[in-house]
Amino acid sequence: MLETKWLEQLIETWYTNNRINLFLLEKIGEEGLDLSISKRGGGTPAKQLAHIHNMRCDKLNKWHPALAEGLRKLSMSDRLGKALLTDCLTVSGEHIAEFIGRCAHGDIEYRGFKKGLVTSISYLIAHESHHRGNLLLNLKLCGFELDKAAQYAIWNWDNM
């Protein structure tokens, strides 16, 4: 089991990662959600964020199916608006935090990467960071850049 201080730090790290996703969603707003350089319409910020949520659902379903109950996976053909994405990312973020806490306390059997809970959560954070990078590059190539303050804010984890 993780010591309490390390567990609190891991959960706070997860929440910081999720706040960055929600911060970007807020800064992009409805007008930026459907921008894409793809001629097929793929890779929009909305679809990147929906994919992040869906990956959380998939991992929870694999790692502890009871914690995936009540989570709705998003279809890429859904109207992926700001309100829906905010709600989904908030709720799935809470479910992942619950998974971390319950695993660390031994309340549920850990089923994730063989290297352990910290590796599993690090994987999710790396995956989501990758998609945030894709999202930001896509927006930039479409001529929609976040203001400098927002661009720097996502790297200031102490204040996020």
Side-chain angles (χ1 to χ4, degrees):
M1 284 197 246
L2 284 176
E3 290 181 39
T4 302
K5 72 175 184 175
W6 298 114
L7 173 58
E8 289 170 0
Q9 288 179 16
L10 182 59
I11 291 173
E12 179 53 31
T13 299
W14 172 253
Y15 277 130
T16 300
N17 173 72
N18 199 46
R19 282 191 298 271
I20 293 169
N21 292 333
L22 295 170
F23 173 82
L24 284 175
L25 180 55
E26 179 66 31
K27 292 296 181 181
I28 294 165
E30 293 289 347
E31 66 277 5
L33 282 177
D34 293 324
L35 295 176
S36 178
I37 59 170
S38 168
K39 294 188 186 330
R40 296 176 292 136
T44 68
K47 289 179 180 180
Q48 296 280 340
L49 293 166
H51 171 74
I52 286 171
H53 166 74
N54 287 346
M55 177 62 82
R56 292 174 181 181
C57 294
D58 288 344
K59 290 300 180 186
L60 283 170
N61 195 45
K62 181 178 180 183
W63 294 342
H64 194 74
L67 285 176
E69 289 177 13
L71 290 178
R72 172 183 163 232
K73 284 185 71 174
L74 297 170
S75 167
M76 295 305 146
S77 62
D78 287 344
R79 173 63 195 123
L80 300 170
K82 184 177 160 187
L84 175 63
L85 289 166
T86 298
D87 182 56
C88 287
L89 290 168
T90 300
V91 173
S92 63
E94 290 290 336
H95 283 241
I96 295 290
E98 183 179 348
F99 171 76
I100 295 167
R102 291 180 65 191
C103 283
H105 285 109
D107 297 338
I108 59 175
E109 178 184 342
Y110 168 75
R111 290 186 303 224
F113 289 109
K114 292 177 186 174
K115 293 183 180 182
L117 178 62
V118 174
T119 299
S120 294
I121 301 311
S122 297
Y123 169 86
L124 285 177
I125 291 172
H127 173 260
E128 294 184 14
S129 298
H130 163 76
H131 284 285
R132 285 195 298 264
N134 285 347
L135 179 157
L136 290 168
L137 178 59
N138 178 68
L139 287 173
K140 183 177 182 177
L141 293 173
C142 289
F144 183 106
E145 283 195 65
L146 295 179
D147 62 78
K148 291 291 183 203
Q151 290 178 31
Y152 289 116
I154 65 172
W155 295 104
N156 191 348
W157 282 50
D158 284 334
N159 290 331
M160 204 28 98

